[in-house]
């Protein structure tokens, strides 16, 4: 029998003349198609190019609770000034799983099998296949992040969750997602004011200052509602920092020991005083500062309100009254009393969502979409990409710097992060807000090539991310005038910063865009490079802990998000105090 002739690989080139007929993709296709709901308007090719619908998943594995949320995100291209970017204009939550207790295997590991069953059940109940997911985030937080197999668990869940689901971890990332998920960012936008979001889960408290719709800074400290838990009058869970809080409240507790009737209430009262001091007392007391897992925040002034999300937030908002035998049941009312008495310096603003804030933030606020004017020379070779580190050289292109100055600053930025252009694959990010004149873009191109020459000479691809609408022009200069033979990926319409890591999906048609998921990767305490002060866990003073110094992580430099809906996390313990 004659050999069957193998069909040619289907690539983006098959659509270059606008033919978007219905067809199936093989696994080797270098792009994806946007599935927009049918209808007279939605069937219009012009509308389809300016509107993209993404199916997203947020998987939150917290100290005490695990949950899965599926959402549909509608992005629309908005042209303004010299930028033409996609912004989220609508978010719809398609399915929220019940909040289940995060399963642990002993004191050091997460129970992978039990966790897998929780997530598999969520996909089954939502009638969603991993292949249906366009983007998403798996985030590990608090005590779950401290477990020895946390990174491996996150990667496995991300791989099984869908081709473009991202594994992420970190206090700053969770604080930011919770601020969007709780509604604090949107409320600050609507009121043009400052709102402090406190996301209090089972293991940690994340702080985020929202101002005029942006998250200005984030921080975290080791105060949580399930650091100690009891069952039948005995201690069934006692994290090291939980025992530290107990000793500070004058109580000695060990795993399996009897728990005095008033012990949890006394520990919660101590934690309440810690949180008040973290927000309102300056200079910050030593015993409070040493609990921070990040740099400590500066003075917090001019607040219009305080919002509390996370599992403990359910008790603060009086949405939850069940006692799960942990600290959350006691800590919520303590914090509500402190806020009502003015100890935080601002009134309580009810969160749009509490226990689900981080999961919704992960599902609905972690993705960006590139502009249409990109340069992508070989989509099948350079996309998709996972876990690319972002480097954003600190150079103001509005001052029209010379090419050699752009190259010098870029090389210095590599050195500051202990990276080398010839050895490390990164995504270079630049802000370009001026008029798109040829001379400025040519200087930028010359500077990038000079800085990246060792990598380009090795035949490696070049990845450049721009916020202004110049990617096609910049890519054209690099390819046609500077004659670079390397694969090029130049995307615009993106807001990125140092310390970001990004996953890049396949090109989507007919919009000719690329989904970009922003994440962080705090799975180990790696001091390499000028990283933000961030730790996985508090070390009691007797274990050689040294206090973090400096400042909170600033999100204000161009890291803006657009608001169309409000997510949510930690829905009171429908499974304990999550976080």
């Amino acid at each position: 029998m004659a050999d069957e002739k193998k069909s040619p690989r289907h690539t983006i080139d098959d659509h270059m003349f606008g033919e978007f007929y219905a067809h199936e993709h093989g696994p080797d296709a270098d792009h994806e198609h946007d599935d927009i709901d049918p209808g007279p308007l939605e069937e219009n090719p012009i509308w389809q190019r300016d509107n993209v619908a993404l199916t997203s998943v947020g998987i939150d594995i917290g100290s005490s609770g695990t949950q899965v949320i599926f959402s549909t995100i509608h992005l629309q291209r908005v042209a303004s000034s010299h930028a033409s970017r996609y912004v989220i204009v609508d978010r719809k939550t398609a399915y929220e799983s019940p909040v289940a207790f995060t399963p642990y295997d002993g004191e050091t590991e997460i129970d992978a099998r039990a966790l897998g069953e929780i997530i598999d059940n969520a996909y089954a109940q939502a009638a969603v296949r991993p292949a249906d997911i366009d983007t998403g985030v798996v985030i590990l937080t608090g005590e779950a992040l401290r477990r020895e197999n946390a990174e491996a668990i996150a990667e496995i869940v991300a791989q099984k969750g869908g081709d473009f689901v991202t594994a992420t971890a970190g206090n700053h990332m969770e604080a930011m997602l919770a601020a969007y998920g709780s509604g604090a960012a949107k409320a600050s936008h609507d009121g043009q004011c400052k709102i402090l979001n406190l996301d209090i889960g089972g293991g940690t408290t994340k702080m985020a200052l929202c101002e005029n719709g942006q998250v200005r800074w984030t921080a975290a400290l080791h105060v949580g509602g399930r650091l100690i838990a009891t069952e039948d009058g005995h201690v069934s869970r006692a994290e090291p920092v939980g025992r530290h809080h107990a000793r500070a409240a004058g109580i000695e507790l060990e795993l399996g020991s009897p728990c005095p009737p008033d012990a949890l209430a006394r520990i919660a009262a101590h934690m309440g005083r810690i949180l008040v001091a973290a927000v309102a007392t300056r200079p910050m007391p030593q015993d409070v500062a040493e609990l921070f897992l990040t740099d400590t925040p500066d003075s917090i002034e001019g607040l219009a309100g305080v919002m509390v999300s996370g599992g403990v937030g359910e008790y603060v908002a009086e949405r939850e009254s069940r006692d799960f035998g942990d600290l959350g049941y006691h800590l919520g009312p303590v914090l509500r009393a402190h806020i009502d008495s003015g100890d935080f310096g601002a009134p309580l603003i009810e969160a749009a969502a509490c226990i689900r804030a981080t999961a919704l933030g992960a599902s609905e606020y972690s993705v960006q979409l590139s502009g249409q004017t990109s340069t992508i020379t070989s989509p099948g070779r350079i996309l998709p990409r996972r876990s690319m580190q972002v480097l954003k050289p600190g150079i103001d292109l509005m001052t029209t710097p010379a090419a050699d100055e752009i190259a010098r600053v870029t090389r210095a930025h590599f050195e500051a992060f202990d990276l080398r252009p010839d050895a490390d694959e990164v995504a270079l990010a630049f802000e370009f807000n001026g008029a798109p004149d040829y001379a400025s873009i040519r200087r930028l191109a010359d500077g990038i090539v000079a800085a990246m020459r060792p990598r380009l000479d090795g035949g490696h691809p070049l990845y450049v991310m721009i916020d202004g609408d110049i990617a096609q022009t910049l890519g054209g200069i690099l390819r046609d005038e500077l004659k670079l033979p390397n694969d090029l990926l130049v995307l615009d319409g993106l807001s990125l910063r140092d310390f970001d890591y990004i996953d890049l999906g396949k090109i989507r048609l007919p919009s000719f865009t690329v989904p970009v998921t922003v994440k962080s990767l705090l799975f180990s305490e790696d001091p390499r490079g000028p990283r933000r002060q961030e730790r996985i866990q508090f070390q009691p003073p007797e274990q050689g802990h040294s206090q973090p110094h400096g400042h909170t992580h600033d999100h204000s430099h161009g890291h803006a998000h657009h608001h169309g809906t409000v997510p949510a996390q930690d829905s009171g313990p429908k499974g304990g105090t999550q976080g």
Side-chain angles (χ1 to χ4, degrees):
M1 187 174 78
D3 292 338
E4 293 185 9
K5 187 175 181 180
K6 186 177 181 180
S7 300
R9 180 190 181 203
H10 175 57
T11 72
I12 194 172
D13 292 336
D14 297 329
H15 298 289
M16 285 304 173
F17 296 98
E19 296 177 351
F20 299 109
Y21 49 87
H23 61 285
E24 294 291 329
H25 276 190
D28 60 346
D30 62 3
H31 61 280
E32 298 286 353
H33 290 268
D34 295 322
D35 296 319
I36 305 292
D37 291 339
L41 176 63
E42 290 83 350
E43 291 175 356
N44 187 308
I46 297 176
W47 189 91
Q48 289 181 348
R49 288 207 61 170
D50 289 344
N51 293 267
V52 176
L54 301 177
T55 300
S56 178
V57 63
I59 303 174
D60 180 14
I61 305 171
S63 297
S64 61
T66 293
Q67 56 183 304
V68 183
I69 293 180
F70 298 96
S71 304
T72 300
I73 306 171
H74 177 191
L75 298 100
Q76 190 171 75
R77 189 170 71 93
V78 177
S80 61
S81 181
H82 301 295
S84 177
R85 67 180 62 207
Y86 284 82
V87 300
I88 296 174
V89 295
D90 189 27
R91 301 174 177 86
K92 293 180 180 177
T93 302
Y95 175 80
E96 298 177 344
S97 77
V99 180
F101 278 115
T102 299
Y104 294 104
D105 185 2
E107 291 291 306
T108 61
E109 292 193 344
I110 299 167
D111 187 332
R113 181 184 299 275
L115 181 66
E117 290 177 358
I118 293 170
I119 295 170
D120 288 344
N121 288 339
Y123 274 76
Q125 290 298 316
V128 173
R129 302 171 303 162
D132 299 329
I133 301 297
D134 298 309
T135 183
V137 168
V138 179
I139 183 166
L140 273 82
T141 62
E143 295 305 305
L145 176 58
R146 193 170 65 83
R147 267 34 184 194
E148 292 176 359
N149 61 342
E151 183 171 7
I153 290 287
E155 290 296 339
I156 291 171
V157 172
Q159 291 170 12
K160 291 186 176 296
D163 287 345
F164 305 112
V165 176
T166 293
T168 186
N171 302 301
H172 292 297
M173 172 66 77
E174 186 189 6
M176 184 175 65
L177 293 179
Y180 286 109
S182 68
K186 184 177 188 299
S188 74
H189 173 268
D190 294 344
Q192 290 296 289
C193 60
K194 291 182 182 179
I195 293 175
L196 178 66
N197 192 71
L198 298 175
D199 185 76
I200 310 173
T204 55
T205 295
K206 281 69 61 180
M207 305 170 65
L209 181 66
C210 305
E211 182 177 11
N212 303 336
Q214 295 189 18
V215 178
R216 294 298 184 186
W217 57 252
T218 53
L221 69 161
H222 223 150
V223 172
R226 203 169 169 81
L227 292 172
I228 295 175
T230 63
E231 187 173 347
D232 298 327
H234 288 73
V235 177
S236 59
R237 177 174 176 176
E239 302 292 344
V241 70
R243 294 194 293 269
H244 169 81
H245 285 299
R247 285 192 296 271
I251 302 168
E252 287 293 334
L253 291 179
E254 296 295 337
L255 192 64
S257 67
C259 184
D262 65 341
L264 296 184
R266 288 166 57 191
I267 299 168
H270 164 74
M271 287 181 166
R273 291 190 292 270
I274 290 286
L275 291 176
V276 169
V279 173
T281 303
R282 297 295 181 276
M284 189 180 295
Q286 170 73 17
D287 65 329
V288 177
E290 69 185 8
L291 287 165
F292 271 81
L293 303 172
T294 62
D295 293 327
T296 54
D298 292 327
S299 178
I300 306 171
E301 299 177 345
L303 292 178
V306 174
M307 193 173 288
V308 185
S309 60
V312 174
E314 298 287 347
Y315 292 103
V316 173
E318 299 177 347
R319 300 173 185 171
E320 180 59 80
S321 60
R322 290 174 292 173
D323 185 353
F324 290 91
D326 58 27
L327 294 162
Y329 176 80
H330 306 275
L331 183 56
V334 166
L335 290 176
R336 179 63 181 260
H338 277 300
I339 296 173
D340 290 346
S341 64
D343 293 343
F344 282 92
L348 178 68
I349 298 177
E350 186 171 340
C354 292
I355 201 169
R356 297 193 182 276
T358 299
L360 274 170
S363 176
E364 301 181 3
Y365 286 89
S366 59
V367 66
Q368 299 184 46
L369 204 62
S370 73
Q372 294 179 347
T373 55
S374 301
T375 298
I376 307 172
T377 56
S378 303
R381 284 200 298 267
I382 59 178
L383 291 174
R385 270 293 186 273
R386 284 186 179 270
S387 300
M388 292 192 69
Q389 183 171 355
V390 174
L391 285 189
K392 189 172 185 178
I395 189 163
D396 184 2
L397 297 178
M398 294 291 289
T399 62
T400 63
D404 58 355
E405 176 65 7
I406 295 172
R408 184 192 67 79
V409 172
T410 301
R411 285 192 290 262
H413 212 58
F414 269 89
E415 293 175 5
F417 278 79
D418 196 21
L419 299 173
R420 292 166 38 200
D422 61 332
D424 297 295
E425 183 176 73
V426 303
L428 283 177
F430 296 92
E431 289 188 18
F432 193 99
N433 300 313
D437 64 285
Y438 170 81
S440 296
I441 300 174
R442 175 60 191 253
R443 285 193 295 270
L444 177 59
D446 288 336
I448 291 173
V449 170
M452 301 299 290
R453 177 55 66 189
R455 185 158 191 83
L456 296 172
D457 287 347
H460 300 290
L462 178 64
Y463 296 86
V464 180
M465 312 288 152
I466 306 284
D467 60 347
D469 195 11
I470 64 165
Q472 199 166 62
T473 302
L474 177 61
I477 292 173
L478 292 169
R479 183 185 61 236
D480 300 330
E481 297 186 16
L482 300 182
K483 306 298 182 183
L484 285 185
N486 308 69
D487 288 336
L488 301 176
L489 179 79
V490 186
L491 304 180
D492 56 25
L494 302 172
S495 294
L496 300 172
R497 55 180 171 77
D498 282 330
F499 307 106
D500 279 343
Y501 286 78
I502 55 175
D503 283 0
L504 305 171
K506 292 182 180 180
I507 293 178
R508 303 193 65 83
L509 297 179
S511 60
F512 287 93
T513 56
V514 175
V516 179
T517 303
V518 183
K519 60 185 182 179
S520 68
L521 294 176
L522 178 68
F523 283 106
S524 62
E525 297 173 10
D526 179 6
R528 187 182 72 166
R531 310 182 72 82
R532 298 163 291 183
Q533 177 71 39
E534 186 168 8
R535 297 177 293 142
I536 293 177
Q537 60 183 315
F538 161 74
Q539 296 293 337
E542 62 270 21
Q543 297 181 20
H545 168 65
S546 59
Q547 175 185 346
H549 298 281
H551 305 286
T552 45
H553 172 52
D554 185 358
H555 288 266
S556 61
H557 42 304
H559 195 56
H561 290 248
H562 302 270
H563 309 290
T565 69
V566 183
Q569 172 202 333
D570 294 352
S571 144
K574 296 180 180 102
T577 310
Q578 181 177 352

